[in-house]
């Protein structure tokens, strides 16, 4: 199954630590998206990346959050100095192209818990 | 006003019933429309794209009314396995920035 792979599935951090979430897109997909789902809420767009470029980061919090999609390797969503409010499910998606009608395929998410 | 609004439900229906979900969106410039399905604590999975002419996939029919900014999903002959949360999703730009509704929960009982 060459779907979107995210790891880890579950991540526990203490307040003030760093969290790194990884996402490998579907083979052949060069467009990656990160979404966050807070408990009992819908998914919210965070950032859209292509290889080595951030295309749209309008949904990213201004501080502590960063994302990259290097030429080689998975996309990384990095959260520095985590706080309780960062507890959520973080989903990565990928698409083959950037046209709006191309469907996005989602990974099974990383559930981040902050103690 | 939320960008994409859905009735949260839950909709409780017996097997074999027909059930309809509605969704409205606020941005008249929205380009593309989808229904996704999300099972409890799982990732969203694409159910179907929604086209202006309406489209059908087996027991599922989706409709789009651009003038009213309204999207619908009809499920016929409900199965137990249809129990899930159905997400109305809109692409707000020419690029890929999906806006999700909070979902409508469906429970199909024997």
């Amino acid at each position: 199954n060459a779907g979107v792979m995210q790891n880890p599935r579950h991540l526990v951090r203490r307040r003030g630590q760093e969290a790194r979430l990884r996402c490998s897109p579907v083979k052949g997909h060069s467009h990656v998206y990160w979404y966050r789902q807070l408990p009992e809420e819908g998914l919210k767009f965070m950032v859209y990346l292509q290889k080595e470029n951030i295309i749209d980061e309008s949904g990213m919090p201004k501080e502590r959050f960063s994302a990259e999609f290097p030429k080689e390797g998975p996309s990384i969503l990095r959260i520095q100095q985590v706080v309780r409010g960062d507890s959520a499910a973080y989903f990565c998606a990928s698409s083959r192209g950037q046209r709006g009608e191309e469907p996005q395929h989602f990974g099974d998410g990383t559930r981040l818990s902050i103690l | 006003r939320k960008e994409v609004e859905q009735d949260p439900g839950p909709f409780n229906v017996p097997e074999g019933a027909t059930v309809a979900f509605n969704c409205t969106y606020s941005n008249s410039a929205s380009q593309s429309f989808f229904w996704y399905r999300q099972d409890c604590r799982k990732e969203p999975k694409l159910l179907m794209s929604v086209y202006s002419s309406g489209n059908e996939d087996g027991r599922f029919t989706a409709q789009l009314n651009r003038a009213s900014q309204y999207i619908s999903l009809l499920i016929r002959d409900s199965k137990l396995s249809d129990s899930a949360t159905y997400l109305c999703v809109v692409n707000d730009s020419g690029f890929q920035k999906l806006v999700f509704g909070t979902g409508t929960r469906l429970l199909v009982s024997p």
Side-chain angles (χ1 to χ4, degrees):
Chain A
N1 184 352
V4 177
M5 302 297 292
Q6 288 187 250
N7 67 82
R9 290 290 303 277
H10 301 275
L11 182 61
V12 180
R13 285 287 178 267
R14 295 187 182 281
R15 281 178 293 172
Q17 291 184 321
E18 178 179 288
R20 282 188 176 232
L21 288 62
R22 287 176 290 278
C23 169
S24 296
V26 173
K27 189 175 181 180
H29 286 190
S30 58
H31 304 262
V32 165
Y33 318 84
W34 287 94
Y35 293 84
R36 176 165 66 174
Q37 186 172 30
L38 295 169
E40 305 303 319
E41 292 190 16
L43 279 80
K44 298 282 193 256
F45 170 83
M46 299 181 76
V47 62
Y48 163 32
L49 309 105
Q50 293 180 27
K51 283 287 186 182
E52 300 185 274
N53 288 304
I54 296 175
I55 306 303
D56 182 347
E57 56 181 348
S58 58
M60 288 279 270
K62 294 286 184 267
E63 297 176 347
R64 303 188 297 108
F65 284 71
S66 62
E68 62 176 5
F69 188 17
K71 188 176 180 182
E72 301 290 338
S75 175
I76 306 287
L77 179 68
R78 182 182 178 204
I79 311 172
Q80 295 178 289
Q81 299 174 347
V82 295
V83 300
R84 287 254 172 87
D86 297 333
S87 296
Y90 292 82
F91 290 99
C92 171
S94 73
S95 69
R96 185 178 51 186
Q98 65 179 35
R99 287 166 49 204
E101 62 267 27
E102 290 244 13
Q104 294 183 17
H105 301 271
F106 283 78
D108 48 18
T110 293
R111 277 151 188 83
L112 176 63
S113 298
I114 309 302
L115 301 179
Chain B
R1 183 185 173 187
K2 290 183 181 177
E3 292 181 82
V4 178
E5 293 209 56
Q6 295 182 251
D7 182 341
F11 283 48
N12 290 285
V13 303
E15 270 186 292
T18 296
V19 61
F21 304 138
N22 303 319
C23 166
T24 57
Y25 60 95
S26 61
N27 185 353
S28 59
S30 296
Q31 302 280 325
S32 310
F33 310 88
F34 309 91
W35 283 101
Y36 277 74
R37 168 195 169 128
Q38 186 174 26
D39 292 282
C40 187
R41 299 186 67 76
K42 298 283 190 179
E43 77 277 20
K45 291 184 179 177
L46 178 67
L47 185 63
M48 58 199 306
S49 301
V50 188
Y51 305 113
S52 295
S53 55
N55 49 302
E56 186 175 310
D57 183 2
R59 298 182 294 109
F60 299 85
T61 301
Q63 296 278 350
L64 167 65
N65 184 323
R66 285 188 185 268
S68 302
Q69 295 178 208
Y70 171 93
I71 307 162
S72 65
L73 176 68
L74 185 75
I75 305 176
R76 290 180 298 278
D77 189 23
S78 299
K79 311 291 184 191
L80 295 176
S81 57
D82 293 334
S83 296
T85 297
Y86 289 83
L87 306 173
C88 178
V89 184
V90 172
N91 189 337
D92 250 11
S93 70
F95 297 107
Q96 290 256 18
K97 179 179 175 179
L98 298 183
V99 180
F100 284 78
T102 52
T104 298
R105 193 169 168 213
L106 172 66
L107 299 172
V108 182
S109 53

